[in-house]
């Protein structure tokens, strides 16, 4: 039986202990599709899982990695056959089901998306869960009636993965994008992606007033906490903020003022359990709307073996854009 390399996380008193191991197909968990993984990636959540900073892993031992791209090796699922190119995000993979940091994965076919032909496996992982979440957020803004004529949009955590893809998407759709970052040294990077204005995240980091000056018609927030509260209080009448992240914190101390006095909508974004039809729509839109030259400009490629060293870096906000991890 063929063997493959996998990163195995074991539970210890002081957090996960990580070791590369040689496994066989028989070691994999249940599923109806087996996939040869060619590319995976590191998201903020992977950083939390690998370092144990949050209880992302809920079954031990675990192969971490919340997303992957690869080719079907064998399948008993009606929608997939050997040779199909597939992408997986979420569904508890890398949390309760063996994930992407391995040469082989066995998964439920119901979780898989056929990789859009416009994207290579490496590009699909350059998008990754971060970019797919950015697209889910754009779709939520659109569902709530936002369009470029309504006014500017703000993106927080701008130099990170979700933020970088969100800027590329929104700028391409014609929005005037305001990028909020702690790395103002990355101004050229952010304007290169399409941001019209770059602001220091310190402006939004403190406690929010119930209502502030109306500065944007909408936004995508990867940061949470006071930053999200400030976004809401500065959203113009009838606007929408899509909340997807917690890089500043899980808390949200706000008032009802933006909702009841300005009709502002707070749209929650979850990528993990998003229904399949919504995922397919997000990946279809990514394949059509994402500027691939800009995607390549935000992407670094590294061997999978380096993932353990990247985990503390992503949590420290030191990784710019997206990292593709090459498997094998
Ligand atoms: P990244 O680490 O790539 O980006 C996060 C960015 O947030 C950093 O680059 C930094 O941007 C900013 N940031 C970091 N720390 C702070 C802080 N203390 N205060 C304010 N801003 C900070 O992560 P991802 O893009 O992968 O993920 C972003 C967030 O979205 C995470 O919280 C993640 O858990 C969440 N997420 C949620 C999903 C969902 O399904 N809801 C799916 C995917 C991600 P800068 O340097 O520009 O300030």
């Amino acid at each position: 039986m063929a063997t493959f390399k996998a990163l195995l996380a074991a539970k210890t008193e002081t957090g996960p202990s990580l070791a590369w191991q040689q496994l066989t197909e028989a070691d994999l968990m249940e599923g109806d599709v087996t996939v040869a993984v060619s590319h995976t990636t590191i998201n903020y959540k992977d950083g939390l899982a690998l370092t144990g900073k949050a209880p992302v892993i809920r079954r031990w031992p675990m192969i971490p990695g919340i997303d992957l791209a690869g080719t079907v090796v064998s399948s008993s699922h009606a929608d997939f056959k050997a040779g199909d190119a597939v992408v997986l995000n979420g569904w508890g993979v890398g949390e309760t089901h063996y994930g992407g940091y391995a040469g082989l994965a066995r998964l439920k076919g119901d979780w898989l998306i056929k990789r859009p032909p416009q994207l290579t496996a490496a590009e699909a992982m350059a998008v990754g869960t971060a970019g797919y979440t950015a697209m889910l957020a754009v779709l939520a803004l659109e569902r709530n009636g936002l369009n470029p004529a309504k006014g500017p949009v703000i993106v927080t955590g701008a130099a990170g993965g979700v933020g970088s893809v969100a800027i590329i998407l929104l700028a391409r759709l014609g929005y005037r994008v305001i990028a909020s970052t702690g790395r103002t040294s990355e101004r050229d990077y952010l304007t290169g992606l399409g941001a019209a204005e770059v602001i220091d995240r310190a402006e939004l980091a403190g406690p929010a007033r119930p209502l502030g000056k109306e500065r944007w018609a909408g936004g995508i927030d990867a940061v949470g906490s006071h930053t999200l509260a400030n976004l809401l209080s500065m959203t113009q009448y009838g606007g929408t903020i899509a909340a997807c992240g917690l890089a500043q914190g899980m808390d949200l101390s706000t008032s009802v003022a933006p909702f009841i006095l300005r009709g502002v909508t707070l749209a929650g974004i979850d990528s993990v359990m998003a229904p399949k039809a919504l995922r397919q729509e997000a990946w279809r839109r990514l394949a059509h709307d994402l500027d691939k030259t800009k995607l390549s400009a935000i992407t670094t490629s590294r061997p999978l073996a380096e993932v353990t060293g990247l985990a503390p870096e992503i949590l420290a906000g030191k990784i710019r854009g997206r990292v593709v991890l090459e498997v094998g």
Side-chain angles (χ1 to χ4, degrees), residues 32-33 74-81 107-111 276:
D32 48 11
V33 183
S74 60
S75 165
S76 57
H77 190 285
D79 295 348
F80 298 96
K81 59 179 187 326
L107 305 155
K108 287 195 180 152
D110 289 348
W111 296 340
K276 192 154 183 174

Side-chain angles (χ1 to χ4, degrees), residues 42-49 130 246-248 311 314-317 322:
I42 181 160
N43 301 277
Y44 192 89
K45 191 175 194 177
D46 295 307
L48 292 172
L246 44 59
Q248 184 181 17
I314 197 162
L315 296 188
R322 300 275 307 127

Side-chain angles (χ1 to χ4, degrees), residues 44 133 157-162 181-183 201 222-223 244-247 269 271 314:
Y44 192 89
T133 301
V162 172
T181 183
R183 293 179 261 182
R201 77 184 190 202
V223 170
C244 66
L246 44 59
I269 306 300
S271 67
I314 197 162

Side-chain angles (χ1 to χ4, degrees), residues 38-39 68-70 85-87 115-128 283 287 292 295 324:
S38 65
H39 298 82
L68 61 90
V86 292
V87 178
R115 171 161 57 78
Q118 298 90 338
L119 298 173
T120 64
E123 285 167 342
M125 284 300 100
V127 172
W283 279 102
K292 292 218 273 176
L295 179 65
V324 171

Side-chain angles (χ1 to χ4, degrees), residues 133-187:
T133 301
M135 190 75 238
L136 290 177
V138 169
L139 291 173
L141 297 179
E142 291 177 348
R143 272 200 306 277
N144 284 290
L146 192 69
N147 62 57
K150 298 259 168 90
V153 287
I154 180 149
V155 172
T156 62
V162 172
S164 295
V165 177
I167 293 169
I168 298 173
L169 287 169
L170 291 166
R172 172 85 168 252
L173 292 168
Y175 289 91
R176 181 172 194 282
V177 181
I178 304 168
S180 165
T181 183
R183 293 179 261 182
T184 45
S185 55
E186 296 289 2
R187 181 177 301 272

Side-chain angles (χ1 to χ4, degrees), residues 206-278:
R209 290 189 295 154
L211 288 178
K213 183 169 176 266
E214 295 175 56
R215 291 174 70 179
W216 33 76
I220 296 181
D221 177 55
V223 170
S225 190
H226 293 315
T227 302
L228 176 55
N230 276 300
L231 256 55
L232 291 166
S233 74
M234 295 183 213
T235 299
Q236 72 191 41
Y237 195 92
T240 300
I241 300 295
C244 66
L246 44 59
Q248 184 181 17
M250 270 275 222
D251 59 301
L252 177 60
S253 180
T254 182
S255 81
V256 296
F259 310 116
I260 65 171
L261 298 176
R262 288 191 182 151
V264 167
T265 297
L266 175 56
I269 306 300
D270 168 58
S271 67
V272 179
M273 301 307 288
K276 192 154 183 174
L278 183 57

